[in-house]
Amino acid sequence: MPNEPRPQTPPAQTATRGRAETPIAFVQAIATAYAARGIDPAAALLAAQIEPKLLRKSNARITATQMEVVSGAAMQELDDEGLGWFSRRLPWGSYGMLVRASLTAPNLGVALKRWGRHHGLLTQDIDVQVRVQDGVAQLQLHEARDLGDYREFCVVSVLRNALGVACWLTDSRIPLLRTTLQFAAPAHRASYRVLFDGPTAFDAPIHSLQFDAGYLSLPVRRDEAALQRMLQRALLLTVRPYRRDRLLVEKVRHTLARHPEHCRNANDLAAWLNLSTRTLHRQLKEEGASLQQLKDAVRRDLAIDLLHRSQRPLKQIAQAAGFQNEKSFIRAFKGWTGQTPDAFRRC
């Protein structure tokens, strides 16, 4: 798109900071795209502080920031956000256009379907679809033609980009249950522990990212202003994992409200959610919540609902909301609403 902002490039001195875990094979694929256009990749490699001799070392690794810089430089120099993967170039701004088309979706499920449908308008070389079965969502990538030497780099990049966009749109980490890839395990297969969380299966029947289908119901939380800020460093969505997990908060709320027998303490709740207690507290903290806050919110909502819908005595409502006595319930309710339960009921 003509008005799409050019990305901000991280300072050169920071490019090599961090753990070098991205396989050099992806940079080799970028160099192949340069060669196909008869252009020297030296400037892009220099910007990312990647020594050209590393391209001859199959076991070499670079940092996530180096991958961000070299990819961004190549996309602009080649004017191809597909970096040679497809039978036609994807001009600068193509992937930003896909995100923009998804901004007005009511939830992630609709947004991802739009993203895949519009990707098909850019190129018919691949097809990206969302499928749901038995509570598991699959983001599937189908190849319509032989991608040749670009196959691994293309499939990994598109899947990671789609996942990064999904996380950004919902402002939520989306942990993967499983990744399946049709190609054989590469020599750098150990890097896939970093590229995709959860187990990765190679020589699979289909390329897919699999995750809890509950994430598809999360609302889209971004707008045009947020998009403009994101596009300043859009490649971060592809090279770095998202940390915040909004679905966990909803799962905790649901469990506290519907399955109180599994919520006697944090250990019981974590076990019910198939998490460690430490992970439960850490992820809630990353979301800006705490278990106690969520317990209070569930108790408050239940008490308010019972006061509105029933004439049950306060003692019974206090017990239903998990309080040991009526006095402690009244004190807590006044702290939540500024009113006593009786005064609230009369309003």
Side-chain angles (χ1 to χ4, degrees), residues 128-245:
V128 180
Q129 301 178 358
V130 178
R131 295 286 183 266
V132 179
Q133 183 176 1
D134 299 328
V136 175
Q138 287 195 22
L139 183 65
Q140 300 178 351
L141 187 154
H142 304 273
E143 300 173 60
R145 74 170 182 90
D146 184 1
L147 298 173
D149 293 338
Y150 299 107
R151 189 187 195 196
E152 182 192 7
F153 186 34
C154 173
V155 170
V156 170
S157 296
V158 172
L159 288 178
R160 280 175 59 90
N161 181 275
L163 178 63
V165 166
C167 292
W168 179 80
L169 285 171
T170 57
D171 191 21
S172 176
R173 173 178 175 264
I174 301 176
L176 298 177
L177 302 174
R178 182 178 174 85
T179 299
T180 65
L181 299 166
Q182 288 182 289
F183 48 79
H188 48 266
R189 66 180 301 165
S191 296
Y192 276 78
R193 294 195 298 268
V194 178
L195 295 173
F196 301 107
D197 60 359
T200 297
F202 298 95
D203 291 313
I206 193 171
H207 302 302
S208 75
L209 301 182
Q210 301 176 15
F211 53 91
D212 189 321
Y215 287 97
L216 297 178
S217 299
L218 290 180
V220 171
R221 299 175 179 271
R222 304 296 189 172
D223 58 16
E224 179 66 27
L227 175 63
Q228 290 300 315
R229 291 192 297 271
M230 181 272 283
L231 289 175
Q232 295 299 316
R233 289 190 67 183
L235 284 168
L236 281 176
L237 299 184
T238 301
V239 302
R240 295 187 186 278
Y242 211 92
R243 299 194 63 82
R244 188 187 302 267
D245 188 347

Side-chain angles (χ1 to χ4, degrees), residues 5-326:
R6 297 289 173 173
Q8 297 175 348
T9 302
Q13 64 269 25
T14 69
T16 56
R17 292 180 185 173
R19 298 180 62 178
E21 297 176 313
T22 302
I24 199 67
F26 296 161
V27 185
Q28 292 169 341
I30 292 175
T32 299
Y34 270 95
R37 297 278 299 279
I39 302 175
D40 189 345
L45 295 175
L46 179 62
Q49 295 187 291
I50 300 173
E51 295 185 24
K53 65 181 181 181
L54 283 183
L55 272 64
R56 298 190 295 273
K57 298 181 179 181
S58 60
N59 63 344
R61 301 286 189 275
I62 61 172
T63 68
T65 303
Q66 285 178 298
M67 190 64 198
E68 178 192 357
V69 173
V70 72
S71 296
M75 286 177 182
Q76 294 182 78
E77 194 168 8
L78 301 176
D79 193 24
D80 182 8
E81 292 192 348
L83 293 175
W85 310 329
F86 306 126
S87 52
R88 56 159 293 188
R89 289 186 298 110
L90 302 190
W92 181 257
S94 295
Y95 278 96
M97 180 179 66
L98 297 184
V99 181
R100 179 171 282 108
S102 301
L103 279 182
T104 57
N107 57 51
L108 179 60
V110 175
L112 283 178
K113 287 179 180 178
R114 287 185 187 175
W115 193 95
R117 184 168 65 250
H118 285 87
H119 198 288
L121 298 177
L122 296 177
T123 175
Q124 296 183 346
D125 293 342
I126 63 171
D127 181 35
V128 180
Q129 301 178 358
V130 178
R131 295 286 183 266
V132 179
Q133 183 176 1
D134 299 328
V136 175
Q138 287 195 22
L139 183 65
Q140 300 178 351
L141 187 154
H142 304 273
E143 300 173 60
R145 74 170 182 90
D146 184 1
L147 298 173
D149 293 338
Y150 299 107
R151 189 187 195 196
E152 182 192 7
F153 186 34
C154 173
V155 170
V156 170
S157 296
V158 172
L159 288 178
R160 280 175 59 90
N161 181 275
L163 178 63
V165 166
C167 292
W168 179 80
L169 285 171
T170 57
D171 191 21
S172 176
R173 173 178 175 264
I174 301 176
L176 298 177
L177 302 174
R178 182 178 174 85
T179 299
T180 65
L181 299 166
Q182 288 182 289
F183 48 79
H188 48 266
R189 66 180 301 165
S191 296
Y192 276 78
R193 294 195 298 268
V194 178
L195 295 173
F196 301 107
D197 60 359
T200 297
F202 298 95
D203 291 313
I206 193 171
H207 302 302
S208 75
L209 301 182
Q210 301 176 15
F211 53 91
D212 189 321
Y215 287 97
L216 297 178
S217 299
L218 290 180
V220 171
R221 299 175 179 271
R222 304 296 189 172
D223 58 16
E224 179 66 27
L227 175 63
Q228 290 300 315
R229 291 192 297 271
M230 181 272 283
L231 289 175
Q232 295 299 316
R233 289 190 67 183
L235 284 168
L236 281 176
L237 299 184
T238 301
V239 302
R240 295 187 186 278
Y242 211 92
R243 299 194 63 82
R244 188 187 302 267
D245 188 347
R246 291 193 179 273
L247 186 62
L248 178 63
V249 170
E250 297 307 314
K251 284 184 174 181
V252 170
R253 285 182 186 274
H254 182 271
T255 304
L256 290 170
R258 302 297 176 85
H259 304 284
E261 70 277 12
H262 297 295
C263 307
R264 289 183 294 270
N265 53 55
N267 293 336
D268 289 345
L269 177 60
W272 174 254
L273 296 172
N274 294 316
L275 297 171
S276 70
T277 305
R278 182 178 180 182
T279 298
L280 172 64
H281 286 301
R282 175 177 56 79
Q283 291 190 5
L284 287 177
K285 183 178 180 180
E286 288 172 358
E287 171 55 19
S290 72
L291 186 54
Q292 189 58 53
Q293 288 172 340
L294 294 175
K295 284 182 176 180
D296 288 343
V298 169
R299 286 177 169 184
R300 180 197 63 218
D301 293 346
L302 176 58
I304 288 174
D305 183 58
L306 291 174
L307 287 168
H308 274 313
R309 290 192 306 105
S310 76
Q311 294 300 315
R312 293 167 64 175
L314 291 187
K315 184 176 181 180
Q316 291 184 13
I317 293 178
Q319 290 175 342
F323 288 88
Q324 294 183 345
N325 56 67
E326 185 177 338

